[in-house]
């Protein structure tokens, strides 16, 4: 009896031990990587242009080291150039886009940089950011190609590369905010291969690019606090007359409307001319002098609202300063690397968007400007608005000359509250219009004294 019992006991122990080993092993092998330990994935962002595609590769350095043997874990920015040649060689070996009929694209790896980031399911980690330019053969379709890419994925079986499109003018994606997912690249564990991603961005059109540029132009003036503030501060004293070098009295509604119209049109002409010349001429102008010039223009406008510097010549000043604002607008187009045809279409759409929103904002501000000019507290309101504008302009000027400050950051953030700003302008315009109409229809007091009754009309004497 002893032998069989020992045999049975041994068999049971072996079975339990096998289960104890097999179950955790199955769980570890079969579970998704995120369930065991979330690992960051790679990101490939594509910017699609007329004749090439720019790619931004965001690669976790730990996974990159495991796949390539190039350890960047403790590498500083100053040390990165020493490893740049090896990194570029590795990337070129694993990025092979081709046309749909198999012809190879050219790949050039550009700037490399290191940064810290984190994804939704991971903690902070270091990543390598690499820029690449993908150029198809002459005549090939840049919107349809095969993306043979296995960076990191060829060695790290759990790794995934997410491919997205950030900018695509012909598809109406021009703002650089957000991305559209194209697909994912991962190891096919059944066949132990990495399949190339078929990229098909569909048929783009100039119309979609034009509409997108109209939206971008409108959004740019709406969120561009400095551009909007310059125009409004010049319009603020437009209904006022000048007496003895001071703002004093009114010029009348018709004259005020004419002034506001001239200032708005001059600013429009100035920035439209500069935008067209700078963009079509593809002039490479440093940004900081232009941005500093814009801050200075706002400061001048604020001082003019306090004490008239150039009364009657506001339109000329708006046109001259508008040239600087137009150069700043052109920076948006320069970043898109558009072809000449796309640039002309974009210029028309972008400028149209700016003008439509600018016209809307001026129309909303107009009733308030005319109503405020007739209030007894107008000087205090004007001075308060001018001083706040001058403070913001001074802070912007300092920041754009290399002295960052919290006031400039706060002023910049005001452009993110566009809905609140539009709601406030609309409510103020409606209130000002209602007040003006109500005041116009109020009965005017009769200033003539009533006549004294005569004896002939005295009822006590009748009869």
């Amino acid at each position: 009896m002893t032998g069989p019992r020992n045999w049975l006991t041994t068999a049971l122990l072996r079975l339990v031990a096998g289960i104890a080993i097999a179950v955790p092993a199955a769980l570890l092998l079969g579970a998704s990587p995120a369930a065991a330990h979330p690992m960051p994935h790679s990101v490939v962002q594509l910017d699609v242009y007329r004749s090439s595609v720019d790619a931004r590769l965001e690669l976790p350095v730990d996974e990159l080291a495991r796949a390539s043997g190039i350890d960047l874990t403790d590498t500083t920015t100053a040390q990165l150039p020493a490893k740049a040649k090896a990194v570029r060689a590795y990337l070129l070996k694993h990025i092979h886009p081709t046309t749909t009929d198999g012809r190879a694209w050219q790949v050039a790896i550009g700037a490399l940089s290191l940064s810290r980031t984190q994804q939704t399911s991971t903690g902070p980690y270091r990543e390598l950011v690499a820029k690449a330019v993908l150029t198809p053969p002459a005549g090939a379709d840049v919107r349809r190609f095969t993306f043979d890419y296995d960076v990191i994925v060829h060695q790290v079986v759990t790794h995934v590369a997410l491919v997205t499109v950030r900018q695509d003018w012909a598809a109406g994606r021009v703002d650089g905010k957000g991305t559209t997912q194209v697909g994912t690249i991962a190891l096919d564990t059944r066949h132990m291969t990495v399949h190339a991603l078929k990229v098909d961005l569909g048929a783009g059109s100039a119309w979609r690019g034009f509409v997108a540029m109209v939206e971008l132009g409108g959004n740019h003036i709406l969120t561009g606090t400095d551009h909007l503030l310059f125009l409004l501060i010049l319009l603020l004293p437009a209904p006022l007359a000048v007496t003895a070098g001071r703002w004093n009295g009114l010029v009348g509604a018709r004259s005020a409307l004419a002034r506001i119209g001239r200032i708005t049109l001059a600013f429009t002409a100035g920035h439209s001319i500069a935008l067209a010349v700078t963009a079509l001429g593809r002039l490479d102008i440093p940004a900081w002098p232009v941005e500093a010039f814009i801050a200075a223009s706002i400061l001048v406008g604020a001082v003019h609202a306090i004490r008239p510097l150039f009364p009657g010549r506001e339109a000329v000043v708006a046109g001259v300063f508008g040239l600087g604002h137009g150069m700043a607008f052109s920076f948006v187009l320069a970043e898109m690397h558009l072809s000449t045809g796309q640039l002309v279409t974009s210029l028309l759409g972008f400028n149209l968007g700016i003008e439509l929103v600018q016209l809307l904002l001026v129309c909303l501000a107009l009733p308030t400007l005319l109503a405020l000019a007739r209030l007894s507290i107008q000087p205090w309101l004007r001075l308060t608005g001018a001083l706040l504008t001058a403070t913001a302009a001074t802070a912007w000027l300092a920041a754009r000359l290399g002295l960052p400050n919290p006031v400039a950051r706060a002023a910049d953030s005001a452009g993110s509250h566009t809905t609140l700003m539009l709601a406030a302008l609309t409510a103020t315009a409606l209130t000002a219009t209602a007040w003006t109409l109500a005041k116009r229809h109020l009965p005017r007091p009769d200033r003539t004294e009533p006549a004294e009754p005569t004896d002939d009309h005295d009822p006590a004497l009748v009869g």
Side-chain angles (χ1 to χ4, degrees):
M1 297 295 293
T2 307
R5 287 181 179 178
N6 290 338
W7 176 85
L8 181 59
T9 302
T10 302
L12 289 173
L13 287 173
R14 289 178 177 175
L15 178 62
V16 171
I19 293 174
I21 294 173
V23 171
L27 290 175
L28 288 173
L29 293 174
S32 66
H37 178 64
M39 302 298 290
H41 55 259
S42 297
V43 175
V44 180
Q45 289 185 349
L46 304 178
D47 291 338
V48 183
Y49 301 123
R50 178 83 173 188
S51 57
S52 65
V53 176
D54 283 5
R56 172 188 166 94
L57 315 179
E58 300 174 0
L59 311 170
V61 296
D62 288 343
E63 282 68 23
L64 179 64
R66 292 165 59 190
S68 66
I70 305 171
D71 189 1
L72 302 176
T73 306
D74 299 318
T75 302
T76 64
T77 300
Q79 296 169 339
L80 183 58
K83 300 182 178 181
K85 183 177 180 180
V87 171
R88 290 192 176 98
Y90 169 75
L91 294 177
L92 286 172
K93 187 178 179 181
H94 295 278
I95 303 175
H96 300 289
T98 61
T99 62
T100 53
D101 58 2
R103 288 178 293 158
W105 287 32
Q106 292 182 356
V107 179
I109 306 299
L112 304 175
S113 62
L114 292 167
S115 64
R116 294 196 65 84
T117 187
Q118 68 179 53
Q119 295 171 2
T120 304
S121 59
T122 68
Y125 64 92
R126 295 192 85 196
E127 71 175 6
L128 173 72
V129 178
K131 303 292 183 63
V133 179
L134 317 178
T135 306
D141 188 355
V142 76
R143 307 186 60 79
R144 294 176 178 84
F145 60 95
T146 301
F147 194 36
D148 188 358
Y149 174 101
D150 64 352
V151 175
I152 300 179
V153 180
H154 71 105
Q155 285 291 336
V156 184
V157 296
T158 58
H159 195 74
V160 173
L162 178 64
V163 182
T164 63
V165 171
R166 181 178 60 175
Q167 180 174 307
D168 183 1
W169 184 89
R173 176 170 290 279
V174 297
D175 58 4
K177 299 177 181 177
T179 57
T180 299
Q181 184 169 335
V182 175
T184 57
I185 298 174
L187 181 71
D188 180 353
T189 54
R190 177 176 297 180
H191 301 96
M192 297 305 292
T193 58
V194 179
H195 298 296
L197 178 66
K198 303 294 184 181
V199 177
D200 187 347
L201 302 178
S205 68
W207 172 249
R208 294 176 71 179
F210 175 79
V211 171
M213 292 306 299
V214 172
E215 295 177 359
L216 183 63
N219 188 63
H220 192 72
I221 192 68
L222 193 60
T223 58
T225 314
D226 49 358
H227 303 296
L228 183 58
L229 203 54
F230 170 72
L231 181 59
L232 292 180
I233 199 63
L234 275 187
L235 296 180
L236 182 59
L240 304 178
V242 177
T243 305
R246 294 178 179 273
W247 296 114
N248 188 20
L250 303 177
V251 298
R254 185 171 296 178
S255 297
L257 288 174
R259 279 187 183 178
I260 291 172
R262 287 195 297 269
I263 293 171
T264 304
L265 287 175
F267 180 64
T268 297
H271 73 66
S272 297
I273 291 171
L275 173 59
V277 171
T278 308
L280 293 177
R282 300 185 186 273
L283 302 180
D284 187 11
I285 301 174
W288 73 265
V290 175
E291 298 295 344
F293 177 80
I294 290 172
S297 73
I298 300 169
L299 183 58
V300 171
V303 175
H304 177 68
I306 297 173
R307 182 71 65 89
L309 299 177
F310 35 83
R313 297 188 297 275
E314 289 87 354
V316 175
V317 173
V320 172
F321 281 138
L323 296 173
H325 289 254
M327 291 180 187
F329 292 149
S330 71
F331 295 153
V332 178
L333 299 181
E335 295 173 354
M336 295 183 180
H337 308 290
L338 301 173
S339 66
T340 301
Q342 290 176 336
L343 183 58
V344 172
T345 303
S346 297
L347 182 61
L348 294 174
F350 189 70
N351 206 49
L352 178 61
I354 290 174
E355 305 316 326
L356 289 175
V357 173
Q358 181 177 283
L359 179 62
L360 170 64
L361 294 174
V362 170
C363 290
L364 289 177
L366 186 59
T368 304
L369 292 172
L370 297 178
L372 288 179
R374 288 163 172 75
L375 297 177
S376 59
I377 60 171
Q378 173 271 130
W380 295 104
L381 293 175
R382 175 171 49 82
L383 288 175
T384 300
L387 288 173
L388 290 174
T389 301
T391 301
T394 303
W396 274 326
L397 184 58
R400 293 167 186 182
L401 291 177
L403 298 173
N405 58 85
V407 177
R409 289 192 292 271
D412 285 329
S413 67
S416 61
H417 305 290
T418 54
T419 303
L420 180 61
M421 181 190 68
L422 286 174
L425 281 174
T426 303
T428 307
L430 292 174
T431 303
T433 302
W435 178 82
T436 302
L437 293 175
K439 189 174 181 180
R440 180 174 297 179
H441 289 87
L442 284 176
R444 296 182 178 180
D446 189 357
R447 296 182 180 178
T448 59
E449 297 292 333
E452 294 290 335
T454 63
D455 291 346
D456 296 337
H457 294 87
D458 191 345
L461 301 175
V462 176

